[in-house]
Amino acid sequence: MADNPTPEQQTDYLVRKLEQTIRDNRTVKGMSFRTWQAIAREEIYNAMRANEKRQRQHDQTVNRLVLVAASSLVTIGFWGAMVAVNSAYGGVAAVITLVAGAALFFVTADWGIKRFVSGYAREKRAERLAHIEDLDKRIKRMERDMEKKAKWLKEKMEEIEV
């Protein structure tokens, strides 16, 4: 769940997406409530499904880490006991202990790298959302300016006709 956008960011994104969908599907009469409701339901469902998928992947990674760590520790403990009991198997025990320790190290390193990458992805996602918000503000400002200009031109045309 570390790579999720914040609930506020996700909510703002969904609202902007719905607003854009409504604007794109605008007709002379406007969009019906049932159509808007279906679109909103679909967007919310998709967001929740994506969140559950990320949570499931995170849980799976943690479970794998715990399993490998436990297996490695059991192996290390077993072969450590073997070395203590019989020094004749010291070389074999050392190799097996080295392999188990390496497995634990690589799984832990992989987990740490994934956490780092997900943090980077989260920052980039927040940056993209900020750019989207900025673009939305500029588009709305341009719409207001165009409406003012259209109104001004309409008034000028009326003055010319009179």
Side-chain angles (χ1 to χ4, degrees):
M1 192 120 114
D3 60 351
N4 288 345
T6 64
E8 293 83 14
Q9 290 173 330
Q10 198 168 9
T11 303
D12 290 341
Y13 175 74
L14 285 172
V15 168
R16 279 193 302 281
K17 194 168 182 179
L18 287 170
E19 178 184 358
Q20 188 61 42
T21 303
I22 290 169
R23 287 177 191 232
D24 291 346
N25 293 326
R26 215 181 259 174
T27 60
V28 176
K29 296 184 217 173
M31 181 181 280
S32 71
F33 180 74
R34 286 182 188 248
T35 305
W36 180 89
Q37 198 175 33
I39 291 169
R41 182 178 293 120
E42 185 69 24
E43 290 300 325
I44 292 169
Y45 172 74
N46 288 338
M48 291 177 70
R49 191 172 54 185
N51 189 32
E52 288 175 358
K53 181 180 178 184
R54 284 190 297 271
Q55 182 65 38
R56 203 171 29 251
Q57 288 174 341
H58 175 72
D59 290 344
Q60 191 176 38
T61 302
V62 170
N63 289 341
R64 285 180 183 161
L65 175 67
V66 169
L67 177 65
V68 171
S71 299
S72 299
L73 289 174
V74 167
T75 303
I76 291 168
F78 173 78
W79 285 105
M82 288 298 293
V83 168
V85 171
N86 187 356
S87 63
Y89 296 108
V92 174
V95 170
I96 292 176
T97 304
L98 177 68
V99 170
L104 178 61
F105 172 76
F106 286 122
V107 168
T108 306
D110 179 56
W111 187 49
I113 290 169
K114 283 182 181 177
R115 288 189 64 191
F116 174 75
V117 169
S118 69
Y120 177 76
R122 181 178 54 239
E123 289 175 13
K124 284 298 181 185
R125 199 170 27 257
E127 194 175 297
R128 284 192 301 267
L129 284 171
H131 287 297
I132 290 170
E133 289 175 359
D134 182 50
L135 182 62
D136 277 349
K137 288 177 185 176
R138 288 189 300 184
I139 289 171
K140 287 178 183 177
R141 189 176 335 115
M142 287 172 46
E143 284 177 345
R144 284 192 305 270
D145 291 344
M146 293 299 287
E147 288 171 0
K148 287 179 184 177
K149 188 172 184 178
K151 185 178 177 181
W152 180 78
L153 286 173
K154 187 176 180 180
E155 289 174 359
K156 287 295 182 185
M157 292 295 289
E158 289 175 358
E159 287 178 8
I160 293 174
E161 289 177 0
V162 174

